[in-house]
Amino acid sequence: MKVVTLSRQHKKWSDSIRAALATAFGLGYSPVAPGTFGSLLGVAIFIVIALTSQTRGIEKVLVALALTVTCCLSVPIGDWAERYWKRKDPRFFVLDEVAGFLLTVLLFRGENLILTVAWAFVVTRMADIIKPPPARSMERIPGGWGILLDDLVASVYAALFLYVVLWIAPWSMGE
């Protein structure tokens, strides 16, 4: 039986593609707050979807699709990233932050696009940094699942917080 191995050149090329995705096309290489910079890709994806969608229903479907693709990439690339950068949840890996932002805006969408983006960005980042229970415990799950799930749990908290803000101070959301 013949074992097929990747050539050195092919492996270098595939590592470059994975690194580009893992770092949100280089945003994760920021020397300060790589997760914050990385989540800007999620902001850009959402804004493009929101501005080009004919209806909120179509917007929701497209955000859900973008979230699904991001999550499906995050798990295997997260596994690869831990081997490549030789550490658990490497700081350069920010695809999980992209997924986190997309989940927040999938669950919460105010009437005003700019205020939705601003609030969702700040609150999602804060929730990811604070990691309320059980988000922090999700990090113990091995590989890409652990990297991704803590951000998704934090994003559920972010969306819930945004609904509370909307209920208490609707004017702050432009409503």
Side-chain angles (χ1 to χ4, degrees), residues 95-117:
L95 199 53
D96 54 331
E97 272 78 14
V98 175
F101 179 82
L102 291 172
L103 179 58
T104 299
V105 294
L106 178 65
L107 297 174
F108 176 85
R109 169 63 152 96
E111 289 301 316
N112 184 303
L113 175 63
I114 294 169
L115 290 175
T116 296
V117 168

Side-chain angles (χ1 to χ4, degrees), residues 15-35 37-38 80 84-85 91-94:
D15 283 346
S16 295
I17 297 294
R18 287 184 186 112
L21 292 170
T23 63
F25 303 101
L27 293 170
Y29 289 126
S30 169
V32 293
F37 280 94
W80 168 87
Y84 186 76
W85 283 299
R91 69 184 309 252
F92 302 124
F93 185 86
V94 294

